[in-house]
Amino acid sequence: MTVESAGQNNADSEAAARAALDAHTVETVQWHFHESTGSPFWLEKKRDLKFDPLTEVKSFEDLKKFPLFEDDWLRGGPVRRWVPKGLDGRPTYVFETGGTTGVPKSRVVIDDFRTDYELFSDTLPDEYFPKGGNWLMLGPSGPRRLRLAVEHLCQHRGGISFCIDLDPRWVVKLIKKGWMEHLEEYKKHCIDQAITILTAGHDIKCMFTTPKLLESLAYGLAEQGTSIQEIGITGIFSGGTEFTPQWTRFCVEELLGGPAEESGVYMTPTYGNTLMGLACSKPITAEDDYKIAYYAPQPRAVVEVVDFDDHHQVVPYQATGRVKLYTLTKEFFVPGFLERDEGEREAPFAKYPWDGVSGVRPYHAIASQTTVGVY
Amino acid sequence: MLTLNALRWGKPYKSLETQEVVHFDTGEPIASIGQVNGGMLQLDMKHTARARAVLRAIAPSELLTRCKKAAELFETATLPMGDGTQSVDEFIHQQSASTGLPEHMCRGNMKKNSFVLANMEQILDSLTRGLDLNILTRGYGDEGRGVTVSYQVQTPVLGAVLPNNSPGVHTLWLPAVALQIGLMLKPGSQEPWTPYRMVAAFIEAGIPAEAFALYPGGHDVGQALLSRSPRSMVFGSAQTVEQYAGNPRVQAHGPGFSKIIFGDDCVDRWEDYLDVMVESVFSNSGRSCINCSGIWASRHTEKIAAALAERLGPTAVLPPQDDQAGLAAFTNAKMATGTWAMVQQDLAESGVTDLTAQFGDRLVEKERCAYLKPVVATADSPDRAIASKEYMFPFVSVVKCDQKQLLKKIGPTLVGTLITEDGELIDQFTESTSVDRLNIGPIPTNRLNWLQPHEGNLTEFLFRSRAYQTAPASPQ
């Protein structure tokens, strides 16, 4: 294939992805704003809009006619107002985001978390995440979706998931109170449990954990004279807090024993939340200085990098902006939500022919007020 | 522009994260410093035994010779530095540019560090009370009295979370190498120069690179170092010192609250000691913990303060290259405005008088930095808040205090210069635990005798005296 034809193929893929996104957007908006299928929340909100979503949303770009989604709408009940009429009667979950004070934000879910993680499963290399392999879920559970989602991912791949609980709200409280000794003890308590499970002959091959817990687990295992590699873990899916290229390099080179092809341990960073779902990262490599670029599971979710002042304006490729998320599923509709993160806009590539975001970190204007790294 | 990388037991590590050091006045980039995380340090702790082993393999006398060579190289040579080299003049310029200290003060601090290293034999002879250093190497030995003495090493390495802006304090960790203890250092973000240059000099002088680790980075690096190293030192605020009080693993160095104290028998001759007071307050732009921040006397306090204000008040802000420059810049202007706000609050208290107000504004704000000119105030009682304050610029409160109340009121004092010939008063101060380093007579507080311990004896921190018995050899 010539360079020219490869370029043409990429352009074709991007155009096809865009067309799919436009069609999916129209279908999703029809669902959420139709009297027979829409949720009470959006049907009520429709009255305040200066346009008719049913007739005036013909493409993804038309979502910009909506005002920004305000996360405060998710605080407090009744939570059932978010359930689309078309899904009435289905068993429904409610998942909460990590807040520590006041009323947490909550999101209703029926199947989305399963769908998200099944799609994510397709991105995992079987060589390192063997089908039928058992998993360890070492991260926040409670009202968060992670426990159920990771467990489903594991079951979807034919394994059984062991779980260690971690309460991030208590962790944030410990940090705010300055009780660092308690924080260390709590972390140790979680890691001790993880090591007990990992050394109990359960043949665990894969795990989910946060970057900080992964680091702590590695030190905990090192103190016992072993390592993540030696204990038999081959696939790690990590997320929940910020990844930096330097940390990722440290993790791969020193905690995991080298790149996957040398160490046999593969780690994939992810980015996501209860609202959007799970964005996968482009495979990380030393040649690319461990750059981490995330790509949302389009068309179910979209990530844009927008101008700090004009949230309708996407910044040029490699420029810095605020991360804006869209959720376009039958269960939940978010027509543009400003994340508490910033990053650089990344170009599409063959595997994900749509925009991505790299260098994700807390939005500089609010970073100082945020307790980062709660897990 | 230089790029300085972390050094992991002698091996440079090129981080993907860097922090830029810029000139405090012009904003010109000076260096890019690779940043690492605390976890890396934690992993590297497993090599600490090797760091000591490579030093222990060299005889103490040979180590002292190499230290002397390192001192010479530090002070005179062009040394490898990051991805380039560094001459003495470049070192001085870079250190001045990032810390705000005038260049001649940087030269002074460089000489001080070099002096300590060059005279390590005498310093250790003094700190160990003449112990044969081979006894520390072997762990036990005979001092010559027919009695076995033993010293148990407490750590294979000394960790140190180094300060940002006080190049003189690096003298405190230098003896570790001669004591065959490795170094694990977190350089200050604005003053990486001395530790990097000193380590380069050590290595050039033939001391194994595996004995040295340098980890520039954020707070997590400092925390990891202090929590993981069996023995470490930290430089910081009064809160930092409080945080580590009673922690036998950490030697915390904070404000000095150093003072000059007049006995009633000498205070009437205070004018004879004006130069001693000026030097104590003003040297190194008042930035050191050994700078005098309080002058205590039972009478003449207003006159003393007025005379000091006359000498210090008019000090001008001069460029860092000027040999007459007496004031260091606050490279972070907000530090200066914040400090000035605190000083103003102290000055507003009833019973406190600012004698330097008449010499113009104390706060001088420039585009990228700020200066604070000297402040001399009187306090009519030791109970005024200003009497127990210390700031990072030439600042002194002249405190009126009855001689009988002195020891009850002076509080913790790193260096106390007691000007008296009153034997009873001298005896009371000698017995007191308030003053760490005690000078009897008119010795400026900033003039250290390197043959004396400074805030605790490093050898006592790194080694512990213990019992050691060997069974008589079995008859053949």
Side-chain angles (χ1 to χ4, degrees):
Chain A
M1 190 188 294
T2 62
V3 174
E4 220 168 82
S5 65
Q8 186 56 50
N9 282 349
N10 286 346
D12 290 347
S13 308
E14 286 167 35
R18 192 69 189 187
L21 177 61
D22 286 340
H24 183 79
T25 302
V26 173
E27 188 186 327
T28 307
V29 167
Q30 292 293 325
W31 171 268
H32 282 283
F33 289 91
H34 197 280
E35 286 298 328
S36 64
T37 54
S39 66
F41 177 86
W42 283 118
L43 293 176
E44 189 185 324
K45 189 62 77 183
K46 187 175 154 189
R47 292 190 208 115
D48 301 334
L49 298 175
K50 297 188 174 80
F51 67 100
D52 182 358
L54 292 174
T55 57
E56 294 178 55
V57 174
K58 297 187 177 87
S59 68
F60 177 75
E61 274 311 297
D62 289 335
L63 289 182
K64 292 179 180 169
K65 293 175 181 170
F66 284 97
L68 279 175
F69 187 90
E70 294 175 28
D71 59 352
D72 267 351
W73 293 340
L74 297 168
R75 292 186 205 275
V79 75
R80 197 163 282 281
R81 70 195 159 130
W82 291 98
V83 181
K85 286 182 189 173
L87 298 172
D88 263 350
R90 299 279 305 279
T92 304
Y93 297 90
V94 59
F95 296 139
E96 292 174 6
T97 52
T100 50
T101 53
V103 179
K105 285 171 273 178
S106 44
R107 186 211 147 164
V108 294
V109 181
I110 294 159
D111 280 324
D112 267 356
F113 71 96
R114 296 192 188 92
T115 312
D116 281 342
Y117 278 67
E118 284 170 21
L119 290 171
F120 172 62
S121 174
D122 295 341
T123 71
L124 297 177
D126 291 347
E127 181 187 354
Y128 300 107
F129 295 87
K131 293 278 173 61
N134 289 338
W135 281 62
L136 175 69
M137 151 69 196
L138 171 57
S141 59
R144 279 149 293 271
R145 75 177 175 154
L146 263 168
R147 152 81 199 274
L148 288 173
V150 171
E151 197 154 20
H152 178 72
L153 171 69
C154 165
Q155 290 168 353
H156 177 70
R157 298 179 69 82
I160 296 171
S161 177
F162 292 79
C163 301
I164 308 295
D165 184 26
L166 177 125
D167 178 359
R169 293 180 189 174
W170 182 236
V171 171
V172 171
K173 244 179 198 170
L174 292 175
I175 294 171
K176 286 189 174 168
K177 284 173 183 287
W179 293 358
M180 303 320 275
E181 282 177 31
H182 295 256
L183 178 69
E184 281 305 307
E185 282 303 308
Y186 184 52
K187 196 161 71 178
K188 191 169 174 297
H189 169 63
C190 296
I191 297 300
D192 285 350
Q193 293 174 72
I195 292 176
T196 302
I197 293 290
L198 288 171
T199 53
H202 290 302
D203 195 28
I204 293 169
K205 299 276 186 214
C206 313
M207 66 184 294
F208 165 82
T209 193
T210 66
K212 285 205 161 70
L213 288 174
L214 178 58
E215 196 174 325
S216 300
L217 177 64
Y219 302 144
L221 289 168
E223 276 173 23
Q224 302 209 359
T226 184
S227 67
I228 287 170
Q229 187 185 23
E230 281 177 15
I231 211 99
I233 297 287
T234 57
I236 299 166
F237 133 50
S238 192
T241 52
E242 184 187 350
F243 278 90
T244 62
Q246 173 56 30
W247 186 87
T248 307
R249 172 188 173 191
F250 167 68
C251 175
V252 170
E253 290 181 352
E254 310 201 28
L255 301 181
L256 305 182
E261 47 283 10
E262 287 170 26
S263 65
V265 186
Y266 180 99
M267 192 272 288
T268 181
T270 54
Y271 174 71
N273 58 35
T274 309
L275 293 189
M276 178 192 73
L278 197 61
C280 308
S281 77
K282 194 174 177 177
I284 43 174
T285 63
E287 295 72 39
D288 204 14
D289 277 347
Y290 292 88
K291 182 175 181 177
I292 300 161
Y294 297 112
Y295 288 82
Q298 252 182 239
R300 291 170 51 79
V302 177
V303 167
E304 281 184 339
V305 182
V306 297
D307 188 273
F308 287 121
D309 299 318
D310 179 359
H311 302 135
H312 287 319
Q313 186 62 47
V314 174
V315 300
Y317 286 119
Q318 301 308 322
T320 304
R322 187 106 178 242
V323 178
K324 189 177 180 184
L325 307 177
Y326 300 79
T327 309
L328 304 168
T329 72
K330 280 197 167 176
E331 293 176 23
F332 202 59
F333 173 64
V334 177
F337 164 71
L338 288 177
E339 252 294 20
R340 297 162 72 91
D341 291 325
E342 64 183 31
E344 284 73 45
R345 183 182 171 205
E346 289 294 326
F349 70 112
K351 190 171 179 187
Y352 299 114
W354 50 80
D355 281 5
V357 56
S358 66
V360 176
R361 57 206 176 258
Y363 172 40
H364 65 273
I366 55 174
S368 59
Q369 306 156 21
T370 316
T371 305
V372 180
V374 296
Y375 300 151
Chain B
M1 187 172 78
L2 283 176
T3 298
L4 302 184
N5 295 314
L7 195 67
R8 304 175 70 184
W9 302 124
K11 288 189 185 154
Y13 178 88
K14 193 172 176 352
S15 174
L16 297 173
E17 282 170 19
T18 55
Q19 191 182 63
E20 206 164 73
V21 179
V22 299
H23 191 292
F24 72 90
D25 199 20
T26 63
E28 161 211 359
I30 308 164
S32 167
I33 302 180
Q35 305 288 295
V36 299
N37 62 329
M40 188 172 285
L41 182 147
Q42 196 168 330
L43 286 188
D44 288 358
M45 290 297 293
K46 65 184 171 207
H47 299 303
T48 55
R50 188 185 61 198
R52 172 152 164 81
V54 295
L55 291 171
R56 206 162 163 235
I58 303 170
S61 57
E62 176 58 24
L63 263 183
L64 288 170
T65 303
R66 294 185 197 179
C67 282
K68 215 178 184 67
K69 177 72 182 164
E72 186 193 325
L73 291 166
F74 177 75
E75 200 179 334
T76 62
T78 292
L79 292 169
M81 185 64 47
D83 60 351
T85 58
Q86 185 189 60
S87 66
V88 172
D89 286 345
E90 283 165 339
F91 169 78
I92 298 297
H93 174 71
Q94 288 157 347
Q95 188 176 68
S96 168
S98 63
T99 62
L101 272 181
E103 291 191 356
H104 71 90
M105 290 185 195
C106 293
R107 281 186 201 279
N109 282 303
M110 184 185 208
K111 279 189 188 306
K112 192 160 53 169
N113 284 311
S114 174
F115 176 86
V116 167
L117 197 56
N119 291 278
M120 194 56 72
E121 187 171 357
Q122 296 85 328
I123 288 168
L124 290 186
D125 191 49
S126 171
L127 294 184
T128 64
R129 310 293 189 259
L131 189 75
D132 174 1
L133 294 179
N134 289 297
I135 294 177
L136 292 180
T137 305
R138 198 165 61 242
Y140 70 97
D142 188 331
E143 267 190 304
R145 296 178 289 117
V147 178
T148 300
V149 292
S150 174
Y151 292 89
Q152 183 181 36
V153 70
Q154 299 298 294
T155 178
V157 297
L158 172 67
V161 180
L162 298 172
N164 258 327
N165 44 28
S166 305
V169 299
H170 297 295
T171 50
L172 295 178
W173 51 265
L174 289 178
V177 174
L179 291 166
Q180 299 170 315
I181 304 285
L183 284 171
M184 208 172 196
L185 308 172
K186 176 188 179 291
S189 55
Q190 288 169 45
E191 212 291 90
W193 311 109
T194 307
Y196 268 95
R197 185 171 174 82
M198 193 57 87
V199 167
F202 275 133
I203 295 171
E204 287 286 294
I207 294 174
E210 294 94 326
F212 304 102
L214 289 163
Y215 299 96
H219 289 301
D220 65 319
V221 175
Q223 276 166 5
L225 194 149
L226 293 169
S227 65
R228 298 281 160 178
S229 175
R231 286 291 182 276
S232 57
M233 52 174 66
V234 61
F235 299 83
S237 62
Q239 289 96 316
T240 305
V241 174
E242 195 181 333
Q243 190 184 345
Y244 294 101
N247 184 340
R249 294 154 56 102
V250 180
Q251 201 178 71
H253 299 269
F257 304 111
S258 297
K259 298 176 183 78
I260 293 172
I261 304 123
F262 280 99
D264 283 353
D265 59 325
C266 289
V267 72
D268 295 338
R269 289 185 280 119
W270 63 267
E271 282 168 293
D272 295 348
Y273 309 111
L274 193 56
D275 286 346
V276 171
M277 290 188 271
V278 167
E279 179 181 337
S280 299
V281 173
F282 193 60
S283 69
N284 206 39
S285 190
R287 203 172 255 198
S288 310
C289 51
I290 51 178
N291 278 119
C292 173
S293 57
I295 294 169
W296 290 52
S298 61
R299 53 186 183 267
H300 304 310
T301 48
E302 294 81 2
K303 284 185 213 160
I304 294 170
L308 277 172
E310 192 77 32
R311 290 276 293 271
L312 296 174
T315 307
V317 169
L318 295 172
Q321 297 81 6
D322 192 321
D323 282 348
Q324 299 306 311
L327 294 177
F330 283 81
T331 54
N332 176 352
K334 282 184 184 162
M335 276 270 295
T337 49
T339 301
W340 181 235
M342 287 191 280
V343 174
Q344 281 183 304
Q345 201 176 346
D346 293 338
L347 293 172
E349 189 180 351
S350 165
V352 174
T353 308
D354 176 6
L355 278 297
T356 28
Q358 58 185 306
F359 296 99
D361 289 342
R362 301 292 89 189
L363 175 66
V364 179
E365 292 182 85
K366 301 185 87 178
E367 193 185 336
R368 304 180 58 93
C369 64
Y371 289 81
L372 283 172
K373 290 185 171 187
V375 168
V376 181
T378 56
D380 65 356
S381 149
D383 298 329
R384 306 292 169 223
I386 204 166
S388 55
K389 293 293 174 64
E390 170 179 321
Y391 296 105
M392 237 182 55
F393 72 102
F395 160 89
V396 67
S397 49
V398 187
V399 182
K400 191 169 191 172
C401 179
D402 190 273
Q403 180 170 304
K404 285 183 189 150
Q405 295 293 310
L406 279 175
L407 278 171
K408 282 186 195 156
K409 297 285 188 180
I410 59 168
T413 303
L414 174 63
V415 185
T417 285
L418 179 62
I419 300 178
T420 185
E421 288 163 11
D422 177 344
E424 197 179 330
L425 187 61
I426 292 170
D427 187 54
Q428 285 168 4
F429 269 78
T430 305
E431 286 288 295
S432 163
T433 54
S434 294
V435 180
D436 192 355
R437 176 183 284 258
L438 182 58
N439 296 328
I440 305 296
I443 302 168
T445 58
N446 60 309
R447 295 220 197 145
L448 300 184
N449 176 352
W450 294 105
L451 302 184
Q452 297 286 337
H454 178 94
E455 279 184 278
N457 184 328
L458 188 68
T459 55
E460 289 166 9
F461 185 52
L462 299 175
F463 294 87
R464 187 173 75 93
S465 172
R466 69 162 171 191
Y468 197 95
Q469 296 184 86
T470 48
S474 305
Q476 296 297 309

